[in-house]
Amino acid sequence: MQIGPYQLSNQLIVAPMAGVTDQAFRNLCLRYGAALAVSEMLSSNPDVWDSDKSRQRMTHSGEEGIRSVQIAGADPDLMANAAKFNVEQGAHIIDINMGCPAKKVNKKFAGSALMQSPDLVKEILQAVVTAVDVPVTLKIRTGWEPEHRNGVEIAQIAEDCGIASLAVHGRTRQCMYKGFAEYDTIKAIKQTVSIPVVANGDIDTPEKAKFVLDYTGADALMIGRGAQGRPWIFKEILHYLETGKKLAPIKAEEQCTVMLEHLKKLYNLYGEYKGVRFARKHVGWYLNLEEQRQFRADFNRLETAAQQHSLVECYFDELV
């Protein structure tokens, strides 16, 4: 799949997830085979750019691969300025968020709330595409609510405005993450526009990945929650798409190595205090089985990086 001048090495993209797809997580996913990893959402409001959270999200030092930065907002001028600023900071691709269903985002008429106003969508897309000389991509949902799935209309606007590729999550904003993703709208969008279309939503196994590609005709897949605690899912899917066979489950020794590396990267990125707290949710995803409940409870009580590292090592030593 081609995005502007960038030829992706395969069809797998890491979805942007606030509080999850930081640089530590993105680099892990890239190493396991993802062709592109989109950054966490950045506000277009310059008043918040000096916050610790925004500065960390804007950091590209040590970044692997193509740098795609997602911005969110509802004001065309602010969005254009945010795009220019992030290109100056090293972004290779600007991604526009019109898919986030969170209330705190939607109440500002940003994220998926924008799908209620096609005219404003057009203004924002035109402003951002005109403002930068790098490819601009767009992430949307199928619509605002099940009774009003206007994803095809928004996709046509995106193509007319010069958007380089379009990612579509197979739910409406009203659906949040409930129920199951539907792929009929994504299929209809792919049949309507000529720009690359990326299918997103409930892709959590190699078999599901192949089904969604075949059913929608999409050019690529975007994987979010399916990669939480499983950055190796990209390797599994690639192997299945290429051979039709499933890889053997990841060995405990490799899982331990990945987790410890991930923890170290979190401590380095956020400092020990915040890193320890971010580590809790990631470890909860890595070890999410019912029989691992006690381990998670013990891990979540720890307050230092050394304690967390030691407990993970001990757990896998006993397991092996």
Side-chain angles (χ1 to χ4, degrees):
M1 174 174 150
Q2 187 94 12
I3 303 179
Y6 302 108
Q7 176 64 50
L8 302 191
S9 59
N10 59 58
Q11 297 171 289
L12 304 183
I13 300 172
V14 185
M17 295 178 285
V20 180
T21 50
D22 53 27
Q23 188 183 88
F25 186 77
R26 293 197 302 273
N27 284 348
L28 271 180
C29 293
L30 290 169
R31 202 170 315 161
Y32 269 105
L36 178 68
V38 185
S39 77
E40 300 172 89
M41 175 179 63
L42 285 164
S43 171
S44 61
N45 180 2
D47 294 340
V48 304
W49 291 350
D50 284 334
S51 67
D52 288 341
K53 180 187 291 187
S54 292
R55 282 198 297 271
Q56 284 166 338
R57 291 183 179 183
M58 291 174 182
T59 298
H60 299 300
S61 176
E63 190 85 15
E64 299 176 15
I66 303 164
R67 295 190 289 274
S68 176
V69 176
Q70 188 181 77
I71 59 174
D75 182 281
D77 292 334
L78 289 180
M79 288 287 281
N81 289 334
K84 287 190 287 188
F85 175 81
N86 281 287
V87 170
E88 291 168 0
Q89 299 301 306
H92 297 141
I93 296 171
I94 294 295
D95 185 61
I96 297 176
N97 183 320
M98 292 189 185
C100 179
K103 289 182 179 179
K104 66 179 181 180
V105 175
N106 285 189
K107 72 180 182 181
K108 299 176 182 177
F109 210 67
S112 55
L114 286 164
M115 296 191 71
Q116 299 173 95
S117 180
D119 289 342
L120 181 55
V121 168
K122 183 177 181 179
E123 287 184 46
I124 291 172
L125 299 186
Q126 287 177 331
V128 174
V129 169
T130 302
V132 295
D133 58 3
V134 304
V136 179
T137 59
L138 175 64
K139 174 82 183 290
I140 65 171
R141 288 199 161 215
T142 56
W144 174 252
E145 56 191 357
E147 298 75 24
H148 188 221
R149 287 192 172 97
N150 63 337
V152 171
E153 177 188 6
I154 299 299
Q156 290 174 312
I157 292 172
E159 182 171 41
D160 291 343
C161 290
I163 290 298
S165 75
L166 176 69
V168 188
H169 182 102
R171 289 180 174 86
T172 66
R173 187 273 165 191
Q174 190 181 80
C175 296
M176 300 292 286
Y177 295 100
K178 299 175 184 176
F180 300 99
E182 61 92 8
Y183 305 111
D184 289 331
T185 303
I186 301 176
K187 183 177 182 178
I189 289 172
K190 175 57 187 172
Q191 293 173 343
T192 302
V193 299
S194 59
I195 59 175
V197 174
V198 182
N200 175 227
D202 294 354
I203 301 167
D204 54 7
T205 66
E207 295 91 336
K208 189 64 173 289
K210 186 175 189 310
F211 165 78
V212 174
L213 275 176
D214 291 345
Y215 185 79
T216 63
D219 300 276
L221 301 174
M222 181 170 275
I223 300 169
R225 290 176 296 160
Q228 291 176 349
R230 291 175 61 202
W232 49 83
I233 191 175
F234 298 96
K235 180 179 180 181
E236 294 174 342
I237 291 174
L238 282 175
H239 182 81
Y240 188 80
L241 293 178
E242 291 169 0
T243 68
K245 299 178 181 179
K246 295 187 69 173
L247 278 176
I250 186 172
K251 294 182 178 179
E253 295 92 339
E254 183 178 356
Q255 186 176 4
C256 179
T257 299
V258 171
M259 288 177 62
L260 292 178
E261 180 184 351
H262 195 171
L263 296 187
K264 182 179 179 180
K265 289 178 178 293
L266 290 172
Y267 306 144
N268 290 340
L269 181 62
Y270 296 107
E272 182 170 14
Y273 181 81
K274 287 186 177 180
V276 162
R277 282 146 184 81
F278 272 92
R280 291 170 182 166
K281 65 182 177 184
H282 283 283
V283 168
W285 290 323
Y286 279 113
L287 302 174
N288 63 358
L289 300 178
E290 179 62 29
E291 58 264 33
Q292 295 162 333
R293 179 194 292 269
Q294 187 58 53
F295 173 86
R296 295 195 299 272
D298 294 340
F299 187 88
N300 289 342
R301 285 193 289 267
L302 302 179
E303 293 290 340
T304 70
Q307 290 172 335
Q308 288 187 339
H309 188 281
S310 178
L311 187 61
V312 171
E313 275 193 324
C314 290
Y315 174 82
F316 280 98
D317 284 344
E318 294 178 4
L319 194 64
V320 172

